[in-house]
Amino acid sequence: MTDPNAPALDPMSPRWSGAPMAGAGASPSLTGRIGSGLRQLARNRMALIGLIVLLIAILAAIAAPLIAPYDPKKIAVIDALQGPTRSHVMGTDNLGRDLFSRVLYGIRMSVLVAAVSIAVAGIVGITLGLLAGFYGKRVDEVIMRAMDILYAFPDLLLALALVATFGTGLPSLIVAIAIGRIPGFARITRASVLSVRENEYVEAARTIGMGNGRILIRHILPNGLAPIIVMASASLALAILVEASLSFLGLGIQPPTPSLGGLLKDALGFMETAPWMAIFPGITIALLIFALNMLGDGLRDVLDPKLK
Amino acid sequence: MLAYLIRRLIFALVVIVGVATISFALLHLIPGSPVDAILGTESTPEARVALEHQLGLDRPVLVQYVSWWGNVLRGDLGSSVMTKQPVGKLISERLPVTLPLALFSMLIALLIAVPAGIVSALRRNTWIDGLVSVIAFAGLSIPGFWLGTLLILGFSVHWQIFPPGGYVSILDDPISGLRHLVLPAIALGTTFAAVLTRMIRSSMLEVLGADYIRTARAKGQTEQRVVVGHALRNALIPAVTIIGVQVGILLSGALIIEQIFSLPGIGRLTVQAVLDRDIPLLQGCIIVIALIFVIVNLVTDLIYVYLDPRISYQ
């Protein structure tokens, strides 16, 4: 489950671009570039569709307790395995629980786990990338070799290994997903730092006596942000996929808490009698990933045309 | 080239040592007692002592590490906590299931992606291009395990064309073996096909705009010769590069696809090791899977350098 869109590969590889990123040497005005980026994004139809689907999913996740017609954990055996009807738009599962309500809560879990994992991975990966790129030499060597080692694990394998070690549960799941995404953030941030650290405004900041920490946060990071945002979008899609995969294997979110992968797992025993149990959660996962991929592609076109 | 090769080999070695060290550390990172985690707190003292001894936990960590490396280098990956069988034997029994599955998936992906990518590039910005792009996007977005579930629902439960799961060796019965591989290979290869289609489309577009293609057209060569003889050959070179990365996707995918289709491969063995918290078995699976991933990446990198002399060795 390695990121299929990942532009950055092994630095020893002839494919490794270490590409200077958009924004390198550009005006440091971050707000101006974000505004112009958003306008360009709004003109990109695919990205706009992705963004709208994603916003709907986030709203559904937040408002799940308000819009879910039933308690997602409430068992009503008498209603078991009902096909989609007006009262149960996605049907019911083998325990009579309303599938639509469970899917809504599943989206909530998926979005929560993906967002927190990627936030953790982003914070750690960006910090490591900044340090590696800015200080270079031995710091760079140690950090990037460690990242290369983590990169040698296919995503799901690393997550499985960590779940086996730390056990199942939400915190373990988040750590397991986050660790796998750290190298991507570190590499792309390092490449950004390398491309902007010799710019005049960084030199100017140094000459006026600004400390390394402030230079990194105030000048280098904002100018290398574009590829990091693109990476975050692709990573969110992957995090949703890994979470669903782990829950599908019974190693992610534990029942009775609904998760999209867990709902698919439940469906396996009822393929002939209740195919809707597999169809609706699967469509939801695919739509979430589809939306994030489209948004990521659009963001890449807008923010980082060199990687198009 | 030789200097690059040596640097690349050293780099691969560092990664493999790192991966193996992480897999060794897994046992020691378990919160609390690893023996409790594996056996549960209800186990007898005798069983606990025996497991502690088997895992080497009754010795200092450094001694364990050195001795573990000594064993790994001799090909001894320890014994499974659950089945007591040698891990190396368990893995070597499972690889002949996973490798044909991965290869078949790649073949299916290539058969779909090469024509789709070419047609999409040649018919750029037409409805065909749009359709291929949307299907490729969908392929990227549909989780393999859901696609696998749908394939079973359609082709096994409803139409009964292919078996819903199980394994027959291709060597024992080629026809039945292939029939058992079709659905899992499609489920596993779809993401690969989607990535490859997008890659071939974009590299075809780049190549079709190159000067030598204009020259070939100016010389009056037929479109077919221009496309097949000049453009495709060069457009396929970058595709070689993503095979390395895609092997990671295939190996990850195998972890879950083998569960769905009840294929007794290394993916299923790994998941079973996690479910049983059979750490020695998991360590062995991690080392072997990561080793395959690193070696395939190394080989594809070297092939790429060989195929495209413009690539710098530095």
Side-chain angles (χ1 to χ4, degrees):
Chain A
M1 229 163 287
T2 305
D3 180 358
N5 298 317
L9 299 161
D10 169 2
M12 290 287 287
S13 149
R15 290 168 273 156
W16 167 253
S17 61
M21 301 303 169
S27 157
S29 163
L30 183 62
T31 43
R33 271 188 290 136
I34 289 176
S36 124
L38 282 176
R39 276 192 297 279
Q40 283 186 58
L41 191 66
R43 281 199 292 271
N44 184 324
R45 208 169 43 178
M46 295 281 269
L48 196 62
I49 294 172
L51 186 64
I52 291 170
V53 173
L54 196 64
L55 287 176
I56 293 172
I58 292 171
L59 277 178
I62 294 169
L66 299 173
I67 52 179
Y70 299 90
D71 177 348
K73 295 179 189 173
K74 191 179 170 213
I75 294 172
V77 181
I78 197 162
D79 293 330
L81 300 178
Q82 280 185 18
T85 58
R86 196 169 281 187
S87 52
H88 296 285
V89 287
M90 290 186 181
T92 60
D93 68 5
N94 53 314
L95 298 173
R97 294 173 295 194
D98 179 56
L99 202 58
F100 177 58
S101 306
R102 289 181 68 73
V103 166
L104 278 178
Y105 276 85
I107 295 174
R108 193 179 165 91
M109 287 312 290
S110 282
V111 170
L112 174 79
V113 170
V116 178
S117 318
I118 296 310
V120 172
I123 291 168
V124 178
I126 290 168
T127 308
L128 291 174
L130 282 174
L131 295 173
F134 191 73
Y135 290 104
K137 293 179 187 161
R138 198 163 287 178
V139 176
D140 183 27
E141 196 62 29
V142 170
I143 292 176
M144 296 325 289
R145 288 300 78 81
M147 295 300 104
D148 295 336
I149 291 166
L150 280 184
Y151 227 70
F153 285 91
D155 280 297
L156 188 57
L157 179 66
L158 183 62
L160 279 173
L162 293 168
V163 165
T165 307
F166 299 115
T168 51
L170 200 57
S172 289
L173 185 61
I174 288 170
V175 171
I177 296 172
I179 289 181
R181 306 313 310 151
I182 289 173
F185 280 104
R187 283 179 166 190
I188 212 131
T189 308
R190 175 181 174 271
S192 292
V193 175
L194 290 179
S195 72
V196 298
R197 74 171 180 184
E198 302 304 333
N199 283 355
E200 287 87 352
Y201 57 85
V202 177
E203 276 302 308
R206 244 187 229 122
T207 344
I208 60 167
M210 202 178 260
N212 285 345
R214 268 189 84 190
I215 293 177
L216 279 170
I217 304 293
R218 291 283 302 275
H219 295 287
I220 291 185
L221 183 58
N223 284 289
L225 213 52
I228 297 173
I229 294 172
V230 177
M231 167 67 79
S233 173
S235 296
L236 276 170
L238 206 68
I240 287 178
L241 189 57
V242 174
E243 184 278 316
S245 305
L246 286 173
S247 298
F248 182 79
L249 292 171
L251 294 161
I253 308 286
Q254 296 300 304
T257 305
S259 67
L260 296 174
L263 293 181
L264 278 178
K265 180 175 183 271
D266 294 345
L268 282 183
F270 303 94
M271 299 280 282
E272 278 180 83
T273 46
W276 55 86
M277 280 178 69
I279 290 171
F280 291 115
I283 287 176
T284 310
I285 301 173
L287 265 179
L288 280 174
I289 299 173
F290 191 71
L292 279 162
N293 281 338
M294 286 208 288
L295 182 63
D297 248 33
L299 282 168
R300 186 173 50 187
D301 293 351
V302 170
L303 297 171
D304 203 356
K306 283 176 200 151
L307 294 177
K308 194 172 178 180
Chain B
M1 177 71 182
L2 187 66
Y4 174 78
L5 181 70
I6 292 170
R7 278 180 62 208
R8 196 66 189 79
L9 280 173
I10 292 172
F11 170 76
L13 205 63
V14 169
V15 169
I16 289 166
V17 170
V19 167
T21 304
I22 289 179
S23 74
F24 168 80
L26 287 178
L27 186 65
H28 299 273
L29 289 173
I30 292 177
S33 157
V35 175
D36 281 349
I38 294 168
L39 291 180
T41 44
E42 304 292 307
S43 56
T44 62
E46 291 78 17
R48 294 170 57 79
V49 170
L51 183 59
E52 252 180 30
H53 184 67
Q54 185 199 329
L55 298 176
L57 293 171
D58 49 359
R59 291 178 295 169
V61 176
L62 197 62
V63 177
Q64 288 177 43
Y65 184 63
V66 173
S67 136
W68 183 79
W69 261 116
N71 291 337
V72 168
L73 290 175
R74 284 198 304 271
D76 177 6
L77 295 168
S79 300
S80 157
V81 172
M82 292 297 151
T83 63
K84 312 291 179 210
Q85 286 183 288
V87 169
K89 178 175 170 280
L90 287 170
I91 292 175
S92 60
E93 284 170 0
R94 304 299 185 102
L95 276 177
V97 179
T98 303
L99 293 181
L101 172 65
L103 289 174
F104 200 32
S105 306
M106 282 177 135
L107 183 68
I108 288 176
L110 282 167
L111 287 175
I112 296 170
V114 173
I118 295 172
V119 169
S120 191
L122 291 176
R123 301 275 180 271
R124 189 187 188 182
N125 295 333
T126 62
W127 69 270
I128 298 177
D129 183 25
L131 185 70
V132 170
S133 293
V134 169
I135 293 174
F137 246 123
L140 269 181
S141 309
I142 294 176
F145 58 88
W146 184 52
L147 183 61
T149 312
L150 292 184
L151 289 172
I152 293 174
L153 197 61
F155 292 96
S156 304
V157 175
H158 191 70
W159 290 306
Q160 299 175 358
I161 299 172
F162 294 106
Y167 171 71
V168 174
S169 166
I170 294 180
L171 299 175
D172 293 344
D173 183 347
I175 304 287
S176 178
L178 279 175
R179 285 188 70 234
H180 280 82
L181 274 185
V182 170
L183 295 186
I186 292 173
L188 194 55
T190 300
T191 311
F192 188 12
V195 176
L196 205 58
T197 301
R198 282 159 60 97
M199 176 104 187
I200 290 174
R201 177 188 180 272
S202 68
S203 70
M204 272 297 278
L205 284 176
E206 202 178 317
V207 169
L208 285 171
D211 289 343
Y212 64 86
I213 295 294
R214 200 176 307 134
T215 310
R217 282 193 175 126
K219 278 163 61 185
Q221 290 194 346
T222 60
E223 190 61 17
Q224 190 185 350
R225 182 151 170 70
V226 170
V227 171
V228 178
H230 294 279
L232 184 61
R233 281 174 62 177
N234 289 301
L236 283 180
I237 293 175
V240 170
T241 68
I242 60 162
I243 289 176
V245 181
Q246 289 302 308
V247 165
I249 296 182
L250 289 181
L251 292 172
S252 267
L255 291 168
I256 199 157
I257 294 295
E258 288 179 359
Q259 287 290 116
I260 300 169
F261 289 95
S262 306
L263 286 170
I266 192 167
R268 198 164 178 217
L269 187 71
T270 309
V271 173
Q272 199 53 51
V274 175
L275 291 168
D276 294 340
R277 289 191 107 175
D278 190 340
I279 302 290
L281 181 56
L282 180 62
Q283 287 172 329
C285 292
I286 288 173
I287 291 174
V288 171
I289 292 175
L291 195 67
I292 294 173
F293 190 36
V294 170
I295 289 173
V296 173
N297 266 294
L298 177 70
V299 171
T300 51
D301 273 2
L302 297 179
I303 290 175
Y304 189 46
V305 170
Y306 175 74
L307 288 177
D308 193 341
R310 291 169 303 175
I311 299 299
S312 160
Y313 301 141
Q314 299 307 312

